[in-house]
Amino acid sequence: DQQVKQNSPSLSVQEGRISILNCDYTNSMFDYFLWYKKYPAEGPTFLISISSIKDKNEDGRFTVFLNKSAKHLSLHIVPSQPGDSAVYFCAARGNAGGTSYGKLTFGQGTILTVHP
Amino acid sequence: GAVVSQHPSWVICKSGTSVKIECRSLDFQATTMFWYRQFPKQSLMLMATSNEGSKATYEQGVEKDKFLINHASLTLSTLTVTSAHPEDSSFYICSALNPLRRRYQPQHFGDGTRLSIL
């Protein structure tokens, strides 16, 4: 049961244009969503996050939008740069307590390629 | 920012060998660390949650006797793949959670360990 889905395995955009990466989830108990960037043979690097009480969070070129009713979030990168080329994972955290607090469920990832 | 160090970054060994991977939180005390596994072109799959001073919590389908986790200090968690076989070859990644700021704080990941069993 894939609770977090990134339905686009890859995305190709031109430098300077907007990149939009999408993520859907099924578990309404998720209370915190994150986007990570990952290069091959490296661990994920945190990019931006949003709590379930908000619908938008912006940090420089990166903006995350959350539509709770649709259980959908998206990451906008504008303007896109060649250095943004990487695999992008969305992740969601449940709000259950106990010893498993904070565990994340990841989507499958989207490979973003930004062409010069 | 927070730094998580993972060692070794790459291991090649013979089938039947046990391999230990270390995950260190360098600038905060992490009562909770997580161990993930990633197969090529797939998502990160949580294997277990490592809690300092208590037993690890394993995800369904993960053999606890195969993947031994020890979290003996607030800055170190280890994953030991016992009697590794070729099917255990994968990319293993740890992460740490800052307990003082965990409400809306991200997990910080190590750079991962590429394990290749011959």
Side-chain angles (χ1 to χ4, degrees):
Chain A
D1 178 27
Q2 189 75 27
Q3 296 189 61
V4 179
K5 294 182 180 179
Q6 293 174 256
N7 291 317
S8 298
S10 62
L11 175 68
S12 182
V13 301
Q14 202 71 29
E15 181 178 8
R17 308 294 286 268
I18 185 171
S19 296
I20 300 176
L21 298 109
N22 294 302
C23 181
D24 296 293
Y25 62 95
T26 57
N27 189 341
S28 59
M29 298 301 289
F30 288 140
D31 71 340
Y32 182 50
F33 302 89
L34 309 92
W35 284 94
Y36 284 87
K37 176 180 180 181
K38 186 182 182 298
Y39 295 111
E42 293 185 10
T45 302
F46 170 71
L47 273 178
I48 192 169
S49 63
I50 188 167
S51 75
S52 59
I53 61 175
K54 296 185 176 180
D55 56 16
K56 178 183 175 182
N57 189 27
E58 189 173 353
D59 184 3
R61 297 187 297 116
F62 302 93
T63 303
V64 56
F65 295 92
L66 175 62
N67 182 334
K68 284 186 67 178
S69 60
K71 294 189 176 66
H72 176 84
L73 66 154
S74 61
L75 173 68
H76 292 210
I77 306 173
V78 56
S80 301
Q81 299 173 354
D84 296 328
S85 298
V87 180
Y88 288 77
F89 288 95
C90 70
R93 189 192 73 183
N95 61 3
T99 56
S100 292
Y101 183 86
K103 65 186 239 184
L104 298 178
T105 302
F106 282 84
Q108 307 94 312
T110 297
I111 301 171
L112 173 65
T113 303
V114 180
H115 298 284
Chain B
V3 177
V4 175
S5 174
Q6 190 171 339
H7 178 80
S9 57
W10 194 18
V11 180
I12 302 176
C13 58
K14 293 180 179 179
S15 184
T17 307
S18 291
V19 178
K20 179 185 282 188
I21 303 170
E22 293 187 347
C23 181
R24 292 181 185 275
S25 171
L26 298 184
D27 61 352
F28 64 87
Q29 294 182 327
T31 53
T32 302
M33 291 185 175
F34 301 89
W35 287 96
Y36 295 84
R37 182 174 182 176
Q38 186 187 26
F39 290 104
K41 299 184 179 180
Q42 294 188 24
S43 183
L44 282 75
M45 299 301 296
L46 180 66
M47 298 174 65
T49 303
S50 172
N51 300 294
E52 188 270 336
S54 65
K55 291 183 178 180
T57 304
Y58 289 81
E59 295 301 301
Q60 191 172 12
V62 178
E63 299 177 59
K64 58 182 68 176
D65 294 332
K66 175 75 170 178
F67 300 99
L68 300 179
I69 291 173
N70 184 285
H71 193 156
S73 79
L74 288 170
T75 59
L76 174 65
S77 175
T78 61
L79 168 69
T80 301
V81 184
T82 61
S83 187
H85 289 94
E87 59 266 28
D88 298 322
S89 298
S90 190
F91 190 58
Y92 294 86
I93 313 173
C94 71
S95 70
L97 200 58
N98 187 337
L100 298 180
R101 305 182 65 198
R102 67 182 186 179
R103 175 70 182 159
Y104 288 124
Q105 290 297 309
Q107 291 179 23
H108 300 279
F109 286 82
D111 278 340
T113 298
R114 172 71 59 192
L115 177 61
S116 297
I117 308 299
L118 305 177

